[in-house]
Amino acid sequence: MTTVRTLLGLPGLRPHPSTAADLLDRAVTRIYVTELPDPGRYLTAGELVLSGLLWWRAPGDAEPFVAALAAGGAAALAASGADAGGIPEDVIDTCARHGVPLLEVPPDLSFAVVTERVVLALAAAADGARKRLLTAAAEDAPLEDLLARAAEELGTACWVLSGVPRVVAGTAPLPVSAAEPVRQFAADRARPTAAGGLTVLPVASRHAVPWLLAVDGPLSTAQTELAEELAGLVGLARARSRPSPAPLSGNVRAVALRTEGSAEADDVLVELLATTGSAISTEAIRPTGGRDHTAALVADDGSWPADWADDAVTALSTVEPLLRATRILAGVSDPVPAAESRGAFEVARHALSLAADREGDVVVVPAAALGVHQLLLAGTSTELRTALRRRLLGPLLDYDAEQHSDLVRTVRVFLECSGSPTRAAKTLHIHVNTLRYRIGRAAELLGVDLTDFVAQVDVYLALASES
């Protein structure tokens, strides 16, 4: 990283005695020559502003000029007083008051020479930064160490974000939610994106879920080039990382996920579960449609969020525009001992089937949404469910078809109201005596007592087997 102090090694430039030593450590990203009284609209943070002070005429003129430098984040003011009889006290005092480092350019040193020397110094620093980053990458440095090295070279904080979204690594607390840069990037992927004061660049990789490099603040051309180099190195680091399945003990949950229309399920699930911070052991469901189905076991130490399904919908909705999948569906089981993980996978798989029947681009169904009868029926074939439904409900189905009545629905509502005639009648908007008559007629057709608990269970399972 090139700093104001670094440039003092160039022949001719020297700090004015009024400049505090700690201000000389500011990063310099480029040089800007101006004689405008207020150059604020053209400034970029980190610029060394070079001026012959032609804009200064009288005390007070320095205020708008120096204030603009301070507001724009200029690294320093390099001034020549050759045409002003030396640097005016007004300029010196204003720079000290605004905390803008002031460098003196000797009258016999042309601005062309200063510009050339600064540009060469910045180019050499950029080459050195690239070499140092490449060295860190070649040494297989952890991602956190690579970012820390990059932050030093760039002179600003940086982060790697996942599209799910989450912060994969960073050198400081992220000033915005991780979702904001992802959404901005999804809206405009053609060029580096500005989001919440960050510059966001894509990390090249073959993974379905993209990673993004976010750098704090607007970047100069040199910084952007270095950030692009860093993004490439982050992509290599991601490709080298191979998460190994973790042996799990204690309680676990199974999560099943499907990406309709694409083979992105594995990557989406791994990135989604990484947001929980729990240990993961991946295990594929029997493939029935390519790699669009996957599942995983996740450790559950009791800290699993109660609203995880809602959080997952939010996270998957954020990344969905970046994927090829037309829909993302997921199902999650209840926590069970690790020894019972096979059953957890079955529950998650059936929750995933229920998600497929619901509307929406992203649907996540927790085990709590599955009734026990649904799980029991899901374990039987379609043919067997149809046969059992006909065996138990045949006379009732035939009666409804012949008489154009709705006794099947009446019986189902009656059972779902726990056999309460009053509640069932209210639900169906009929008189309770009418309800009792219909239930009596249905019991007569079926040859069972619909007030008997065992008979109620059998009939209800037959009714539920239709879906």
Side-chain angles (χ1 to χ4, degrees), residues 11 32 97 108 112 126-127 255 328 354 359 371 376 407-408 411:
Y32 171 49
R97 180 158 44 82
D108 58 348
D127 288 341
V255 180
I328 306 176
L354 182 59
E359 295 183 355
L376 293 175
L407 284 184
V408 171
V411 171

Side-chain angles (χ1 to χ4, degrees), residues 225-246:
E225 291 175 353
L226 186 58
E228 290 172 346
E229 188 87 29
L230 173 61
L233 297 177
V234 171
L236 291 175
R238 185 184 188 187
R240 286 198 299 260
S241 63
R242 292 289 186 273
S244 56

Side-chain angles (χ1 to χ4, degrees), residues 32 34 39-45 47 49 65 68-74:
Y32 171 49
T34 184
R41 63 187 300 180
Y42 302 108
L43 280 175
T44 301
E47 286 181 322
V49 178
F65 185 91
L69 267 58

Side-chain angles (χ1 to χ4, degrees), residues 251-264:
N251 283 343
V252 297
R253 289 178 185 262
V255 180
L257 185 137
R258 178 183 178 189
T259 50
E260 290 189 353
S262 74
E264 301 168 308

Side-chain angles (χ1 to χ4, degrees), residues 49 68 71 94 102 128 156 160 183 186 188 244 266 270-271 288 304 308-309 339 351 371 412 426 433 443 452 454 462:
V49 178
T94 307
L102 178 60
T156 187
V160 173
R183 293 192 186 102
D188 186 3
S244 56
D266 285 347
V270 169
E271 289 293 319
T288 57
W304 189 271
W308 183 84
R412 182 160 193 157
K426 185 176 181 179
N433 289 337
D452 177 73
V454 175

Side-chain angles (χ1 to χ4, degrees), residues 354 357 373-374 377-378 380 382 385 389 412 460-467:
L354 182 59
D357 293 332
H373 69 281
Q374 290 175 299
L377 289 170
T380 62
T382 301
R385 290 200 302 271
R389 179 177 173 81
R412 182 160 193 157
Y460 187 74
L461 286 175
L463 288 166
S465 66
E466 183 181 21
S467 54

Side-chain angles (χ1 to χ4, degrees), residues 28-91:
V28 177
T29 58
R30 57 186 293 181
I31 188 168
Y32 171 49
V33 182
T34 184
E35 297 300 339
L36 294 173
D38 182 356
R41 63 187 300 180
Y42 302 108
L43 280 175
T44 301
E47 286 181 322
L48 174 68
V49 178
L50 186 59
S51 177
L53 306 182
L54 299 181
W55 46 267
W56 190 86
R57 292 288 184 270
D61 288 350
E63 177 60 30
F65 185 91
V66 177
L69 267 58
L77 169 62
S80 171
D83 296 317
I87 299 178
E89 288 297 323
D90 179 36
V91 174

